Amino acid sequence: MDYNELSRLAEEARKNSYCVYSNFAVGAALLTKDGKVYTGCNIENASYPAGICAERTAFCKAVSEGEREFKAIAIAGGPAGEAPDDAYPCGVCRQFMNEFVEGDSFEVLVVHKDLSCSVHTLGELLPHSFGPKSLKK
Ligand code: THU
């Protein structure tokens, strides 16, 4: 699975976004270390805080199926009906992902308008993080 294909799958997942309040559609494609892909989209709610982001939808699908080893996630987001435009993961999603991955190796792909992507480690996006190891000291 190359990162262009993972970006395309995030854009594909974005089509299922339920974003009737913000009109901001996000799709995510999460790649496991053994090559499986779990997709997700944002799902909003009339009670706004009950909504969930695309990244957490993808992680919840994967973790609830027993997956624990992850390599990368592609994120495609932007106004619904328009091309994706550099949607970086929110702080809650950065923290949520940090629970399951190593920040120095897990890669976050931010999808550009032309479906190319920028690649960051989660550690770059969430430096000095608080995670499972913090509780074991
Ligand atoms: N959203 C995501 O799905 N992922 C993020 O990392 C940022 C925000 C969603 C939440 C909400 O449905 C919409 O984008 C506007 O904030």
Side-chain angles (χ1 to χ4, degrees), residues 18-19 22 24 26 41-44 52-55 88-90 93:
Y18 179 75
C19 57
S22 73
F24 192 86
V26 186
C41 62
N42 56 331
I43 306 169
E44 298 184 347
I52 187 168
C53 293
E55 300 91 317
Y88 278 78
C90 78
C93 286

Side-chain angles (χ1 to χ4, degrees), residues 104-115:
D104 56 0
S105 58
F106 182 75
E107 289 179 315
V108 177
L109 283 48
V110 176
V111 179
H112 306 311
K113 284 184 175 151
D114 64 359
L115 297 193

